[in-house]
Amino acid sequence: MPATIVDLGPATFFRLPGEAIVGAAILLALPRKPRVVLAAAGGVVLAALTVLNWLDMGFKQYLGRTFNLVLDWSLLGDAQSYLEDSLGGTATLAATAGLIVLVLLLFAALAYAVVRLSDVLARHSATATRGTLIAGVVWITCSSFGVQLAGVPLAADSAAVTLQSQTERVSDTLKDEAEFQKVAKVDAFGATPPDQLVPDLRGKDMIFTFIESYGRSAIEDPIMAPGVDKTLAVRTEALKKAGYHAKSGWLTSATYGGSSWLGHSTTLSGLWVSNQQRYRTVMASDHLSLTKVFKKSGAWNTVGVMPGVQKAWPEQSFFGLEKVYNAFELGYKGPKFSWSTMPDQYTLEQFQKRVHGKKHDKPMMSEVILTSSHQPWGPIPKMVGWDELGDGSIFKGIEAAGNKPADVIADTTKSRQEYGKSIQYSVTALTEWLERYGTKDTVLVFLGDHQPIARVSGNHASRDVPVSIVAKDPKVLDKIGDWGWSDGLRPAHDAPVWKMNLFRDRFLTAYGSTPHPKKG
């Protein structure tokens, strides 16, 4: 099998596998008992490599990377939860059971098949020996001259390459874990005194918002871009009339297609958090997150509004959030929209009522996560009157009339169209909230956490996401005047592109923070 779904085709299965030739030669040389044992073991190994190859294909299609044998098993549970939210418990249970049966049958069938083939070789050893020698010569010849069939090399070594890449991946992961622990202990602002942290933002209500799957493709893909770009233009003008101005650029995310928490932690920690082990390392460290900066300064109260959190969330401490409103603490009585527990407009209205709209003894620093643009993009909420939101029951009719998740998932073009609509909805909800409730001291920083899955963004899409800073006070945007960002909510195609982990330090420096390095 090839390593990616896009390379899957008939020609890939009409090749001569070098591993089979070597295996045949070894089996021919062995007595019956060790031959049967080795053949059965070989079938099991082949089944294991097949499963890993399937996982690689799936991860590349959805997350833009290969499967990590050490770190990624926990994501299978997340995938099951996602399917339950999207397709329902019964369909997910049936799919899970079917997958388990398929894998068990694969192991049994391949072990039996290799044993049976070894018996055939033994019964016809003379013919098999000649055939093995001929096949070996043909394989070496085809490999040496690069003979291809329909653009695919005729001499194959896929199993050996898969085994080697998985082994190297495990080794690299273990090395990376040790090296990253050292990196995470070093912090340019780790020892900065509280009064020297973001002094140029004192008195401002800071809001850091992540929009789920808001990627560069939403703004530049021919299918999604027209609607999204129109929304960004309309909302830029609306904010301008309300006295707000914005600057926008690009950040290259540490993740792709999913694992949003890696994008959140990379942006806020200033470290490149590209896998689950790095995430655990950072969360267990005392590295200073951007949100925790505001708590450490002593000049802000801090809060998180996270409708996607539905279980214990110990990361609250790392992000320096004094209070977190999860999915069960926002009073929502309406329907779920697939994975998203509530529409973004409702989340923002509750944020206004519970946090931003209340009087405080200090300004607020808030982290808000918007989830309506999470796949499978069906059904998608619609904007309603802000005064009509109530407890969210108004969305029952909208959810019932929307697209079924299974219909969107099964259609690539529809997935792209609905994804674009979901981004339009989230951006509209956020900017209407700012237009309606923002003050002269409100500063909004919002960005995407990652690109949507490859089926939507394309197999060769970048990992870039848009980022914008919006404020009424012109001094706030003057501080980033030398960044080269575009005016408005839509970053230009040639606007600066930074790695996402660089944002924290550049933001802190722009707003007057003094570096005091800490080396653990």
Side-chain angles (χ1 to χ4, degrees), residues 33-48:
K33 190 172 182 178
R35 171 172 54 77
V36 171
V37 172
L38 182 63
V44 169
V45 170
L46 185 58

Side-chain angles (χ1 to χ4, degrees), residues 210-215 257-260 264 339 344 369-375 377 419 422-423 426 447-451:
F210 289 91
I211 296 180
E212 171 65 37
S213 301
Y214 181 29
S259 301
S260 303
H264 302 170
W339 184 89
D344 291 344
I369 310 298
L370 300 182
T371 63
S372 289
S373 50
H374 194 288
Q375 61 174 302
W377 309 297
Y419 161 73
S422 74
I423 295 298
S426 294
L447 66 154
D449 44 23
H450 55 72
Q451 283 265 53

Side-chain angles (χ1 to χ4, degrees), residues 12 28 30 63 82 91 103 320 400 445 450 519:
T12 61
L28 281 166
L30 292 175
L63 300 179
Y82 162 71
V103 171
V445 181
H450 55 72
K519 298 181 179 180

Side-chain angles (χ1 to χ4, degrees), residues 52 87 125 131 141 147 183 188 258 262 285 293 308 314 333 389-390 433 465 491:
L52 290 175
L87 304 178
S125 59
T141 302
V147 179
V183 173
L262 302 183
S285 74
V293 162
K333 302 299 182 184
L389 285 164
W433 174 89
V465 299

Side-chain angles (χ1 to χ4, degrees), residues 394-475:
I394 191 173
F395 290 104
K396 290 180 180 178
I398 295 174
E399 189 273 341
N403 291 315
K404 302 302 180 186
D407 295 338
V408 177
I409 291 173
D411 189 326
T412 298
T413 299
K414 198 166 190 177
S415 291
R416 290 177 174 175
Q417 292 170 340
E418 296 306 300
Y419 161 73
K421 292 176 184 177
S422 74
I423 295 298
Q424 291 176 253
Y425 168 79
S426 294
V427 170
T428 299
L430 179 60
T431 53
E432 277 196 15
W433 174 89
L434 182 62
E435 183 184 3
R436 180 181 177 90
Y437 295 119
T439 72
K440 62 181 179 62
D441 291 321
T442 304
V443 178
L444 172 65
V445 181
F446 76 93
L447 66 154
D449 44 23
H450 55 72
Q451 283 265 53
I453 58 175
R455 189 165 53 83
V456 170
S457 58
N459 292 303
H460 304 290
S462 73
R463 291 180 175 238
D464 297 345
V465 299
V467 55
S468 301
I469 298 179
V470 190
K472 261 188 180 178
D473 186 347
K475 295 178 182 177

